[in-house]
Amino acid sequence: QVQLVESGGGLVQPGGSLRLSCAASGRSFSIYAMGWFRQAPGKEREFVSAISGSGGRTYYADSVKGRSTISRDNAKNTVYLQMNDLKPEDTAIYYCASTIGWGYVAPVTAPSYDYWGQGTQVTVSS
């Protein structure tokens, strides 16, 4: 079983930066592709970014491309999401998730993922 715990959320001003972390328990962390999703009140859960098990492949939603960077440190069983130039529209609960396979295309839908963290709140406001 895989347990995921997000951290690093908080209140930031527009234009600010934040780095989210997701710590995974269990073994064989490197075989899992990892993804970040977000969900704002009244909206559906939205894909943000994904990274392959080795870290060699990354994928970003258009809404965050150029402003965000996903990375991982397999020695620490941790995946990160660095977010820059934050906008009020980025306000949401951010979830970390894991999936056993990347496949031929990046996993960009919630049903593609097997394990989820509890979420961490990101609020962008003056």
Side-chain angles (χ1 to χ4, degrees):
Q1 296 183 356
V2 177
Q3 293 181 321
L4 306 173
V5 180
E6 301 99 331
S7 62
L11 174 64
V12 297
Q13 294 184 336
S17 297
L18 207 60
R19 189 179 76 160
L20 307 182
S21 298
C22 175
S25 65
R27 56 191 177 192
S28 302
F29 175 69
S30 63
I31 72 172
Y32 293 99
M34 303 294 296
W36 286 97
F37 288 75
R38 66 187 184 186
Q39 187 166 24
K43 299 182 66 177
E44 295 184 349
R45 189 164 297 188
E46 175 189 18
F47 171 78
V48 177
S49 185
I51 187 169
S52 62
S54 68
R57 291 181 290 176
T58 59
Y59 191 81
Y60 300 91
D62 289 341
S63 59
V64 303
K65 190 177 300 181
R67 299 188 294 122
S68 299
T69 302
I70 190 171
S71 62
R72 66 192 296 160
D73 187 340
N74 286 344
K76 297 181 178 179
N77 279 20
T78 303
V79 63
Y80 306 94
L81 181 67
Q82 176 70 42
M83 299 186 294
N84 302 317
D85 192 24
L86 285 163
K87 308 175 185 297
E89 305 92 273
D90 295 318
T91 296
I93 299 175
Y94 283 70
Y95 297 92
C96 175
S98 66
T99 176
I100 193 66
W102 179 277
Y104 292 105
V105 297
V108 299
T109 62
S112 298
Y113 292 83
D114 304 302
Y115 300 97
W116 295 81
Q118 85 289 346
T120 185
Q121 177 71 49
V122 172
T123 302
V124 184
S125 180
S126 299

